[in-house]
Amino acid sequence: MKKNLPVLCVFLGAVMVGGCGPLFPPGTPPVYYQVQGHGPASVPCPQKKSEPLRVWPLNGAPPYDRTDFVILRNANVVELSSRHRWIAAPGEMAAQAIAEAVSRARIFSVVDRPGSPGFVPQLHLGGHVREFAFHPGEGPGEAVLDVRVFLWRETAPKRLVFEKDYRFAEPVPDGTSPQGFAEAMNRAVARWLSELTRDLCESPLDGIGSTTP
């Protein structure tokens, strides 16, 4: 068993903070990955809405409010990568991907992000990132995406017009590769965006309650 300890330390150091020590020496710059979620070309929505939409960053409770890769070995163990990171927090990447997908599908007259000049739309999209993590497992790992998306109108009071939970998992065939994890998460995001754009296209957005999301 003692002979295998150095090999085990190298393996763990590649995917988490702490343990037997990092695989890369201090001062080695981090590697950044980006989620874009590009899937098949979007078919224009036949039920296009005439109003504009503003897409806000999705909220993420710790550890999903940071850029580190999150590794979940079981329900009670959360590990953060010391080297492999996203270019932005998951909620920000998700918002950018939503804005691009909804624009390609031509669901709304205009799609913008906070800070865009010119007008303040009444219809807004936000949400919560509940899981954006890598599950190594004993066999092929999984990239898991779990989010809640909602739309509301900035009226008095605010009116919730759409809400839905989404959860997708994609396998990581090579087990623990950070690159494989990033590619699998891209596939999960692509599946989510495909379903989300279809739901937004088909939804009348005529209100499901007067509340604050």
Side-chain angles (χ1 to χ4, degrees):
M1 178 64 183
K2 291 183 178 179
K3 293 181 179 179
N4 294 330
L5 185 57
V7 176
L8 178 61
C9 290
V10 169
F11 172 74
L12 293 177
V15 295
M16 70 178 189
V17 176
C20 302
L23 175 63
F24 299 93
T28 300
V31 178
Y32 290 93
Y33 301 82
Q34 181 174 8
V35 161
Q36 297 176 322
H38 290 164
S42 300
V43 176
C45 175
Q47 304 172 38
K48 181 176 179 180
K49 279 66 173 170
S50 60
E51 57 189 316
L53 172 73
R54 175 158 293 172
V55 180
W56 293 84
L58 277 61
N59 297 324
Y64 306 114
D65 58 346
R66 53 196 299 167
T67 62
D68 308 63
F69 274 16
V70 177
I71 301 98
L72 299 181
R73 296 193 179 277
N74 59 55
N76 300 314
V77 178
V78 178
E79 300 169 357
L80 303 177
S81 171
S82 59
R83 174 167 169 79
H84 301 282
R85 305 176 185 175
W86 301 110
I87 63 167
E92 179 60 43
M93 289 192 298
Q96 186 61 39
I98 291 172
E100 293 174 358
V102 172
S103 295
R104 290 195 301 270
R106 302 177 186 174
I107 302 174
F108 301 90
S109 60
V110 176
V111 179
D112 78 351
R113 298 294 311 282
S116 299
F119 67 97
V120 178
Q122 188 182 80
L123 191 61
H124 297 256
L125 182 150
H128 301 295
V129 176
R130 299 187 294 193
E131 189 170 339
F132 200 90
F134 176 37
H135 294 238
E138 295 183 358
E142 282 188 329
V144 177
L145 167 71
D146 189 334
V147 296
R148 171 173 292 173
V149 175
F150 43 76
L151 274 75
W152 73 94
R153 294 187 186 280
E154 281 289 346
T155 55
K158 292 182 180 179
R159 187 167 184 83
L160 188 64
V161 297
F162 175 88
E163 184 175 26
K164 185 174 179 180
D165 296 335
Y166 297 87
R167 183 179 178 86
F168 294 95
E170 281 289 323
V172 183
D174 53 1
T176 59
S177 161
Q179 181 65 37
F181 171 35
E183 292 173 355
M185 187 60 80
N186 263 290
R187 294 193 300 272
V189 170
R191 290 174 57 199
W192 165 51
L193 293 175
S194 177
E195 185 169 324
L196 175 62
T197 53
R198 183 173 64 251
D199 290 342
L200 293 179
C201 175
E202 295 175 353
S203 174
L205 304 181
D206 55 3
I208 59 176
S210 297
T211 183
T212 300

